[in-house]
Amino acid sequence: MTRPRRLISFDWAMKRLLRSKAHFGILEGFLSELLREEIQILEVLESESNKETALDKQNRVDFKARNAGGEIILIEVQYQRQFDYLQRILHSTARTLVENLQEGQPYGEVVKVISVSILYFDLGQGEDYVYHGATRFIGLHRHDELQLSEAQQDLYQHREPHALFPEYYLIKVNQFDDVARDCLDEWIYFLKHEEVPEGFRARGLQEAKEQLDILRLPEAERRAYERYQDDLHQQASMVQSSYGWGMHQGRKLGREEGREEGLEVGREEGQLQERLRIARSLLDLIADDQLLAQKTGLSLAEVQALRTP
């Protein structure tokens, strides 16, 4: 059986292709299948996330758009393991809320933010591969859910408070079992394998199959894409080796001293080694020590020590 042709990865497509209005249909298809409602993207919003390298995009949102309902949708593709990722997406949504409420506007003008995370590492504990989080107010005694008043329903065009608060979708791609049970699963199959098998019918996928063909890229763009993929593989290897080394050291220290703290020490040491490796690879590219420290999470002294023979 001939495998489908490999397509451009979704994160690269968001950075280079899907910001064009001509390609909004691909993103609209993905979001419509995920959110179970018709999504129309009106505009792509400027964001600090529009960086070119994997390192530059740390703590950034990959894609930020406003839909026809006035809601802001944040999409991030994350390859590297991050223990505080849940706080990271909380920070991103909170920052978006603040940035979009102008001085003097009433709180009723606060925008609805939907955060979509496409994760290629395991986050937390759970057997599913798609998780949805929303804010709901439940009575402590009667266990009923708080509803909006009639006046508030008229104002906001919603019945329940959770419709006003940020919502979060976590897609754990690697946990998907490759069985496409519905149209959303077809999209997750594409996110995992970067290909669209014959017979898939999810909205936007056929357009993605036509427009995201690697062979359609100009030669220079194809070479840039291949370098980007190599960079991702390198980063993944560094993270895996650092994490594994840190866990090994932690278990060893824990066994020797009989303390749980050993695991945490090893984990922190592994993360430090990862940052140091990344910094060493960038010494010739970034001459400003302060900037390099900011990009890698190291202290200024640690960066300066790396430059010392």
Side-chain angles (χ1 to χ4, degrees):
M1 179 178 176
T2 303
R3 292 187 63 85
R5 180 175 292 171
R6 293 296 297 271
L7 304 178
I8 299 167
S9 64
F10 198 54
D11 56 329
W12 176 269
M14 285 193 297
K15 294 175 71 66
R16 297 296 187 100
L17 301 175
L18 302 185
R19 297 177 183 279
S20 166
K21 195 167 186 176
H23 295 138
F24 279 3
I26 297 175
L27 273 174
E28 289 171 347
F30 167 63
L31 293 171
S32 295
E33 300 293 6
L34 175 65
L35 306 180
R36 311 293 186 184
E37 61 178 287
E38 191 77 11
I39 297 296
Q40 179 185 3
I41 296 175
L42 291 186
E43 59 179 333
V44 175
L45 304 176
E46 287 302 318
S47 169
E48 291 182 84
S49 64
N50 304 336
K51 307 296 182 182
E52 293 301 321
T53 69
L55 185 63
D56 282 339
K57 70 183 282 294
Q58 287 183 355
N59 298 313
R60 299 290 195 269
V61 172
D62 287 312
F63 191 89
K64 183 177 181 181
R66 190 187 308 274
N67 67 15
E71 300 167 330
I72 293 180
I73 299 176
L74 311 176
I75 304 178
E76 177 170 358
V77 182
Q78 175 74 1
Y79 290 92
Q80 296 184 16
R81 179 182 284 106
Q82 186 170 352
F83 291 101
D84 60 353
Y85 186 78
L86 293 176
Q87 288 88 346
R88 170 171 165 172
I89 59 175
L90 174 62
H91 177 269
S92 295
T93 55
R95 182 172 183 175
T96 300
L97 290 171
V98 173
E99 287 176 346
N100 286 274
L101 184 65
Q102 298 179 9
E103 186 175 354
Q105 281 188 309
Y107 291 120
E109 299 297 322
V110 169
V111 297
K112 169 67 177 282
V113 178
I114 300 173
S115 171
V116 179
S117 295
I118 302 171
L119 306 174
Y120 289 85
F121 68 95
D122 194 22
L123 177 68
Q125 295 182 350
E127 297 181 359
D128 212 320
Y129 50 93
V130 182
Y131 287 88
H132 173 229
T135 300
R136 296 180 180 272
F137 298 91
I138 307 299
L140 292 181
H141 301 95
R142 298 182 181 275
H143 308 293
D144 61 323
E145 182 173 353
L146 184 69
Q147 306 291 309
L148 297 176
S149 68
E150 290 186 7
Q152 289 172 323
Q153 292 178 31
D154 290 339
L155 176 62
Y156 301 123
Q157 296 300 301
H158 291 289
R159 292 189 57 207
E160 298 151 331
H162 74 79
L164 308 177
F165 283 76
E167 293 187 47
Y168 300 89
Y169 289 85
L170 305 175
I171 302 175
K172 300 167 68 171
V173 174
N174 292 340
Q175 202 153 315
F176 177 56
D177 61 6
D178 292 347
V179 179
R181 302 167 182 83
D182 55 25
C183 291
L184 176 58
D185 283 354
E186 292 179 359
W187 261 101
I188 298 176
Y189 186 97
F190 162 64
L191 296 175
K192 183 175 181 179
H193 297 287
E194 296 166 8
E195 59 186 38
V196 178
E198 292 297 328
F200 276 23
R201 56 184 177 82
R203 178 179 167 184
L205 271 187
Q206 289 307 310
E207 186 175 349
K209 187 175 181 179
E210 296 170 4
Q211 299 299 325
L212 304 186
D213 191 331
I214 294 175
L215 298 183
R216 291 171 59 99
L217 290 175
E219 182 63 26
E221 280 284 285
R222 188 158 64 247
R223 287 198 300 268
Y225 178 69
E226 290 169 354
R227 288 195 299 270
Y228 176 73
Q229 289 295 306
D230 289 342
D231 179 64
L232 283 183
H233 291 313
Q234 178 67 16
Q235 294 293 332
S237 295
M238 291 171 67
V239 170
Q240 184 178 46
S241 98
S242 297
Y243 178 77
W245 184 88
M247 292 298 290
H248 169 73
Q249 290 296 104
R251 291 191 184 98
K252 181 179 178 181
L253 183 58
R255 286 195 300 268
E256 291 175 350
E257 300 185 7
R259 296 201 307 262
E260 288 290 331
E261 289 85 353
L263 289 173
E264 185 62 29
V265 169
R267 187 179 297 116
E268 291 175 357
E269 180 64 24
Q271 292 173 345
L272 174 60
Q273 292 301 317
E274 174 196 350
R275 295 191 185 100
L276 290 171
R277 287 190 183 94
I278 293 174
R280 289 191 190 97
S281 69
L282 296 174
L283 286 176
D284 294 334
L285 300 177
I286 301 178
D288 187 330
D289 288 349
Q290 189 67 49
L291 178 60
L292 183 55
Q294 179 183 350
K295 291 293 186 183
T296 58
L298 295 173
S299 68
L300 181 59
E302 287 170 327
V303 171
Q304 292 173 338
L306 291 177
R307 295 194 190 276
T308 303

